Structure formats: C-alpha cells, structure tokens
C-alpha cells in the first residue's frame, strides 16, 4: 500500500474511533447514577430490555442512536432522544422495537423524541413490520410542551398511527414497564396486546397528585392504575408480568406464534463476501471531501464477489449504474463517480457532479429496476448538478427533473448511504431523506448541506459584510478573516454527519463495514410489504 492509502486509512479510522466513543457515551443514557437507580427498582434499562428481547447471535441495527446529540443543552440534554429503537429478530421474526429510556428525564418526551417515535412507526408501516413498544415514560416534557403537543407531526400523530397500523394488520405489542401517563396511556392500549409489570408498571390519565388537585380524591398510584387494577378490575391490560424479564418472555412467546407474511418477492440467492477486502475502504476514502477517488473501488468492496453487471458503462460516466448483489439480494446501485472522467459528449467531467447524460442514464436505470422489481441502493458523494451556459443550454434542469421524478415515483424500496458529500439538489436526485428511502445512513466521512462549506462561508460573509457596512461599520482585513473563520466554523459544524444524525436527517452514522448489514436487513424488512402501486413517471419533458 502507498503512503496516500496509509494516510487515508489512519484518518478514516480516527473518524470511526470518534464515532465509537460518541456511541459509548450515548449508550449510558442519563448516566451511571440513573442506571443504578433503575436497577435498584428491579428494572432493566431500555437497552438491557431490548438486548434481552432480541435473538442472540442474530444481526440488529439501531435507528437514531445519535438522535438529540448536542441538542437541548439548557434542559440537560436528551441522549438518543430518550428512546431506543432497534430492528432485529424476536423468536426468529424480524421486528422493530421502541423502548423509552427512563434514565433520560424519566423517559419524558422531548420534541425530538416524538420525531424518533414517528420514524419508528414509519418504518413499521412502510415495511409492515411487527412493532414492539416497551413503555416507561413520564409523558410530555412540560417545559417544551408547545413543541411536542399540538401539530400534525407531533405527539398525537403516534396514536393516529397506532390506529392506522391496526387497520393495516401490522402487529403491535406493548409492555408497560414503568410510568405510562396522560395521553401516553393510549399508546399501549391502542396496541393489539398489552401487558403490565406488577408493582413497577402503572397506567393512568392523571396520577394521584393531579387526581387530588382536580377532584379531591385521595388514592395511591398503585390502586389508581397498577397491574392488579388494570388486569383484574378495568381490563385495560391483557397480562400481568411479575418482572421485566417475565414481560419480555411473554412477548417472545406471542411473536413466535405469528403466522408467515406475504412476501414482496425480491430476488435473493446464497450470500457471498466481496472478493476484495472490505477494510480497504478506509484507505480509499480521501481525507478531504474535495479530493478525487474511484467509486468503483468502494462498490467492489460492498457487493457480493465484487461482481458488477453495469448499465451503460460508457455513457454518463459521472454516475455509475449497476446491477449487483448485497448479501445475496439483487440490487440496483446508483452511485456518484468521484474521479474526473472523460466524456465524448462533454470532454472532461468533474467527479461528484451530475451532468445531463448521467441524469438521463440514471432515470432509465431507475425505471428498469422498477420494472424488474429490484431494490435500489444510492451511494451519495455528490456536489450537485453541473452549472454554466453549456449545461443550461443543454437542458440540465430538464434532465435533472427527470431523475428527481424517477426517484420520487419509484415503487421499489430505496436505500441511501451518504459516503461523502451530499449537497443541494444532488441530495434530492440521489434519494435524500425527502425522497423516502426505507433507510438512510451516513458514513463518518459524510457532509450534508445546501452547498460546500468554503463556497457557503463566502456567500454568508458577503451578506454579513454588506449588513455591517449598511450600519456604517467598516470591515478591515483582520476583521474580515475573523468573521470568515467564525462563519466557516459554524457552517462546517452544521454540515457534520453528527448534526444531521441528531436531527434524524439520517437514521444514523455507521461504520462503512456495516453497510452490507444495513442494506440486507432493510431489504428483508421491505420484503414484508408487497408493492401495491405501478411505477408511473407521470408527465415529464423529454
């Protein structure tokens, strides 16, 4: 290996080490003291509950581990959004599990908590996956109630989704393992089956203090809404469990008896590892997002046997379109080529830029994958569409619109991996979050923004400078550099994959070596939901 490879490898392994350290912090939730307090009550933590519930030695992926990272500092933070979400296997069946983390503000719902719960339900609905709720929450975080309570994509949408999923025949099972109060009480009771843990679980619309204040009644929480009350008196819950493990064992038993599902029928054969070493990805990805590299070298270390069946290899070279297999599943890959390529039509084409011929090729390829019922995988490292008079006169907007149209109307499941840049309209055309990928993950090397940091900082500085001058404030060279550095640092922080993951613009930041697992488990989930629509591009300008 050459020196460049070694330097790149060291850089990317440092990024991965940062990710692992950050995740280890997040896994502690509200901290060791609160974990100990949870244990002292005879309760498992949210992560311990999920680990006990999911099958050993089976793969699992966590959705939104870094949700809330760096947010709500004035409120003490909200690690993982106060809720843990994983896709894994229970009694051999793929499910999604949602567990409130009572070590984070007693499991209270922040605005980002609601967004993450809705994302989990969205995954369940899109893929018709059974969903398990492990409830242990004090309800809405009152200091921020105006940001979580009344709007469409907020707290109430969760119960609406409970009802919609029930009508879709999607299995929902709840275990009340701690507090379950006020509006949150509807979630377990709108599930198909609900159980409650004796002495630690409670369900009520208003706790004993509020009951006393509202109607003057003196009653303790256990009598008001404990396991005995709801299993023997109200009939609100279906089963009483003696402790956390007993409740989780019952869930395993119930899920184990669920019948088979109608499959979408995506093609799968025996899995094979890539012929080329996956770990070499670390040495291929450059340190700078501006540097060139060959995307084929990445693809060949992700797909089975490193075998590609490429579509139009000599046309539209700034986008690679190829059929391949990942963990045995047939996939269609759309990837940005990041090295400069030669085009007979346009001459030299810059890496990471979408040209008219590339957009045209990708549109046709996406249509082909829809016709053949082949899931799509987008590998993003894109700076945007080509600009300038030649591109404009050549109809780049029209060709770009066709590609966006094809991505938007695609009916096969889509999966997006952000390898490097994800800028502007390139993010859209390459199936960014707004275009409904079933899963979207970023590598530690990713950057998401409307444009690159250097260009954006200059534009923002010009606006700031004009504003200061309008106030009669002159900007000398020292002040200029100071402002530019400040703006660049702020903008770069916002392009970080951590900023995006905190806000659920992606489902998480992953080790590149986990890419195959995410895509494979994603397609397996999608296979639960047969396609119900025909692929139709609607009206497009040709």
């Amino acid at each position: 290996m050459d020196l460049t490879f070694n330097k790149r490898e060291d850089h990317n392994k440092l990024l991965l080490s940062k990710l692992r350290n950050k995740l280890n912090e997040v896994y502690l939730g509200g901290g060791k003291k609160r974990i100990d307090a949870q244990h002292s009550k005879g309760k498992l933590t949210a992560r311990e509950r999920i680990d006990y519930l999911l099958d050993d030695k089976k793969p699992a992926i966590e959705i939104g581990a870094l949700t809330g990272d760096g947010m709500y500092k004035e409120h003490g933070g909200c690690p993982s959004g106060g809720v843990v979400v994983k896709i894994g296997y229970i009694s051999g069946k793929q499910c999604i599990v949602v567990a409130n983390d009572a070590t984070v503000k007693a499991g209270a719902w922040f605005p980002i908590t609601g967004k993450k719960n809705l994302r989990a339900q969205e995954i369940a609905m899109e893929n018709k996956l059974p969903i398990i709720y492990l409830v242990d929450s004090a309800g809405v975080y009152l200091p921020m109630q105006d940001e979580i309570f009344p709007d469409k994509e907020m707290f109430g949408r969760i119960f609406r989704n409970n009802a919609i999923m029930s009508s879709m025949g999607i299995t929902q099972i709840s275990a009340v393992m701690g507090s379950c109060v006020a509006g949150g009480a509807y979630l377990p009771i709108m599930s198909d089956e609900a159980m409650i843990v004796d002495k630690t679980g409670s369900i009520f619309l208003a706790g004993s203090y509020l009951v006393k204040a509202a109607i003057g009644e003196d009653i303790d929480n256990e009598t008001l809404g404990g396991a005995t009350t709801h299993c023997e008196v109200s009939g609100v819950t279906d089963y009483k469990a003696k402790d956390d493990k007993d409740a989780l064992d019952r869930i395993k038993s119930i899920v184990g008896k669920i019948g088979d599902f109608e499959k979408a029928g995506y093609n799968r054969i025996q899995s094979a590892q890539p012929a080329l070493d996956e770990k070499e990805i670390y040495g291929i990805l450059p340190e700078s997002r501006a540097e060139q590299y060959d995307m084929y070298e990445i693809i060949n270390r992700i797909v089975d046997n490193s075998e590609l069946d490429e579509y139009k290899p000599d046309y539209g070279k700034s986008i690679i379109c190829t059929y391949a297999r990942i963990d045995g599943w047939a996939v269609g890959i759309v990837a940005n080529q990041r090295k400069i390529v030669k085009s007979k039509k346009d001459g030299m084409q810059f890496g990471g830029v979408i040209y008219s011929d590339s957009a045209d090729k990708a549109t046709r390829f996406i249509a082909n994958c829809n016709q053949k019922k082949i899931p799509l995988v987008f590998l993003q490292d894109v700076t945007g569409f080509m600009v300038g008079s030649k591109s404009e006169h050549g109809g780049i907007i029209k060709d770009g619109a066709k590609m966006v149209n094809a991505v938007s109307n695609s009916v096969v499941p889509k999966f997006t991996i952000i390898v490097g840049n994800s800028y502007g309209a390139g993010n859209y055309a390459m199936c960014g979050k707004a275009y409904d990928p079933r899963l979207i993950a970023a590598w530690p090397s990713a950057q998401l923004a409307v444009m690159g940091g250097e260009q954006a900082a200059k534009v923002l500085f010009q606006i700031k400078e004009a504003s200061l001058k309008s106030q009669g404030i002159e900007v000398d060279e020292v002040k200029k550099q100071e402002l530019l550095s400040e703006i660049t640092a702020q903008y770069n922080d916002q392009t970080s994959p951590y900023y995006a993951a905190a806000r659920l613009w992606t489902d998480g930041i992953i080790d590149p070596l986990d890419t195959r697992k995410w895509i494979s488990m994603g397609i397996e989930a999608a296979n639960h939901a047969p396609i119900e629509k025909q692929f139709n591009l609607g009206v497009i300008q040709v």
Side-chain angles (χ1 to χ4, degrees):
M1 297 298 177
D2 60 20
L3 183 60
T4 300
F5 182 97
N6 291 336
K7 284 174 69 177
R8 289 178 172 182
E9 184 179 45
D10 289 345
H11 172 77
N12 286 304
K13 285 186 174 179
L14 278 172
L15 291 181
L16 191 59
S17 177
K18 176 188 173 183
L19 172 63
R20 286 172 178 157
N21 290 337
K22 174 68 76 174
L23 288 172
N24 285 334
E25 286 176 29
V26 162
Y27 294 158
L28 290 173
K32 194 169 184 315
K33 263 188 171 179
R34 291 196 176 102
I35 290 172
D36 290 343
Q38 186 95 335
H39 289 161
S40 71
K41 297 172 188 172
K43 297 163 68 175
L44 301 173
T45 66
R47 292 185 180 278
E48 288 167 345
R49 287 166 177 167
I50 292 178
D51 287 345
Y52 183 84
L53 185 60
L54 295 181
D55 295 348
D56 287 336
K57 298 178 182 175
K58 280 273 206 171
I61 57 177
E62 182 169 354
I63 304 297
L66 293 163
T67 302
D69 180 54
M71 298 171 68
Y72 312 122
K73 289 178 181 176
E74 67 277 23
H75 296 278
C78 188
S80 272
V83 62
V84 182
V85 176
K86 285 192 180 183
I87 300 173
Y89 300 85
I90 301 171
S91 301
K93 291 183 171 61
Q94 196 178 40
C95 301
I96 185 162
V97 185
V98 181
N100 300 114
D101 187 348
T103 71
V104 180
K105 289 284 191 296
W109 291 60
F110 283 70
I112 200 68
T113 316
K115 187 174 182 179
K116 185 170 175 181
N117 275 267
L118 289 172
R119 175 61 180 142
Q121 290 184 321
E122 179 183 45
I123 291 170
M125 287 191 285
E126 283 181 331
N127 300 291
K128 296 190 176 176
L129 275 186
I131 183 167
I132 315 299
Y133 306 102
L134 307 180
V135 184
D136 193 348
S137 170
V140 166
Y141 183 60
L142 287 177
M144 302 187 76
Q145 65 85 26
D146 61 319
E147 295 181 49
I148 181 65
F149 171 64
D151 209 348
K152 182 179 177 181
E153 298 294 334
M154 289 186 177
F155 192 62
R157 187 78 171 181
I158 290 159
F159 316 128
R160 174 264 187 194
N161 287 348
N162 287 143
I164 296 296
M165 281 191 279
S166 183
S167 73
M168 293 171 67
I170 296 169
T171 298
Q172 300 176 82
I173 302 169
S174 289
V176 178
M177 312 179 88
S179 296
C180 183
V181 301
Y186 288 103
L187 184 146
I189 312 313
M190 293 186 76
S191 299
D192 305 323
E193 296 187 75
M195 60 205 69
I196 184 168
V197 178
D198 196 22
K199 301 297 184 291
T200 57
S202 58
I203 309 171
F204 31 66
L205 294 181
S208 55
Y209 293 117
L210 188 53
V211 167
K212 173 72 172 174
I215 63 172
E217 181 183 2
D218 277 310
I219 189 167
D220 63 87
N221 282 338
E222 184 64 25
T223 306
L224 182 66
T228 299
T229 295
H230 286 310
C231 289
E232 299 179 24
V233 180
S234 73
V236 163
T237 49
D238 306 309
Y239 311 101
K240 184 198 290 187
K242 63 182 181 181
D243 56 26
D244 281 8
K245 288 186 178 180
D246 186 35
L248 297 169
D249 285 337
R250 185 174 288 275
I251 292 172
K252 291 181 187 183
S253 179
I254 293 169
V255 172
K257 295 176 178 66
I258 296 173
D260 204 0
F261 56 91
E262 184 185 354
K263 296 173 177 62
Y266 302 119
N267 183 277
R268 191 181 198 185
I269 62 171
Q270 182 67 39
S271 174
Q273 289 297 308
L276 299 176
D277 187 356
E278 292 175 87
K279 293 189 180 72
E280 290 176 356
I281 288 173
Y282 301 132
I284 294 165
L285 275 177
E287 296 178 55
S288 165
R289 296 278 56 80
E291 284 184 64
Q292 303 287 304
Y293 66 95
D294 189 347
M295 182 59 85
Y296 285 103
E297 296 295 329
I298 300 291
I299 297 171
N300 283 327
R301 286 162 177 80
I302 292 175
V303 303
D304 292 11
N305 293 317
S306 303
E307 290 179 350
L308 307 179
D309 188 3
E310 192 171 357
Y311 176 76
K312 289 183 177 289
D314 300 317
Y315 177 73
K317 293 182 178 181
S318 76
I319 285 184
I320 299 165
C321 296
T322 184
Y323 301 106
R325 290 191 182 274
I326 293 177
D327 196 24
W329 294 103
V331 296
I333 296 173
V334 181
N336 304 109
Q337 174 58 292
R338 273 311 313 268
K339 72 173 188 178
I340 295 172
V341 293
K342 190 172 182 181
S343 162
K344 287 190 175 178
K345 180 182 176 185
D346 296 314
M348 302 309 289
Q349 294 184 342
F350 298 105
V353 179
I354 302 175
Y355 290 78
S356 280
D357 54 355
S358 302
D360 174 62
K361 177 173 82 170
T363 301
R364 296 190 197 188
F365 181 70
I366 290 165
N368 282 346
C369 287
N370 274 272
Q371 186 186 56
K372 296 179 177 70
K373 207 159 75 170
I374 298 173
L376 284 158
V377 174
F378 293 82
L379 300 179
Q380 284 195 11
D381 195 343
V382 58
T383 53
F385 286 89
M386 190 59 191
V387 297
S389 60
K390 185 176 179 183
S391 291
E392 297 293 359
H393 297 169
I396 185 67
I397 295 174
K398 179 181 68 178
D399 291 319
K402 287 193 293 186
M403 183 176 174
V404 170
N405 193 315
V407 172
S408 302
N409 285 298
S410 181
V411 296
V412 295
K414 298 167 291 194
F415 303 89
T416 301
I417 305 295
I418 304 171
V419 172
N421 300 326
S422 181
Y423 294 158
N427 169 284
Y428 301 159
M430 291 294 294
C431 197
K433 184 67 181 286
Y435 293 80
D436 298 323
R438 297 292 177 98
L439 295 173
I440 177 169
W443 289 0
S445 48
Q447 289 184 347
L448 289 82
V450 73
M451 64 176 74
E454 188 178 339
Q455 303 96 308
K458 286 176 181 175
V459 172
L460 290 167
F461 169 74
Q462 287 166 7
I463 295 168
K464 181 75 172 177
E465 185 180 37
S467 173
L468 290 171
K469 283 183 177 177
S470 71
Q471 300 169 47
I473 303 170
E474 284 302 316
V475 181
D476 60 22
E477 192 58 36
V478 173
K479 183 66 175 173
K480 177 181 175 179
Q481 289 307 316
E482 195 178 288
L483 281 171
L484 198 54
S485 296
E486 183 184 313
I487 291 166
T488 301
Q490 182 184 5
Y491 192 86
N492 285 343
D493 181 57
Q494 292 177 358
T495 66
S496 157
Y498 291 92
Y499 192 91
R503 288 152 183 81
L504 269 177
W505 300 346
T506 67
D507 291 318
I509 307 173
I510 64 170
D511 183 339
L513 302 191
D514 285 334
T515 301
R516 282 170 55 87
K517 178 174 75 173
W518 271 66
I519 293 170
S520 176
M521 286 189 69
I523 298 174
E524 183 178 350
N527 206 34
H528 286 72
I531 296 171
E532 296 173 351
K533 294 194 320 185
Q534 290 288 341
F535 176 66
N536 187 341
L537 283 178
V539 177
I540 59 171
Q541 294 196 32
V542 294

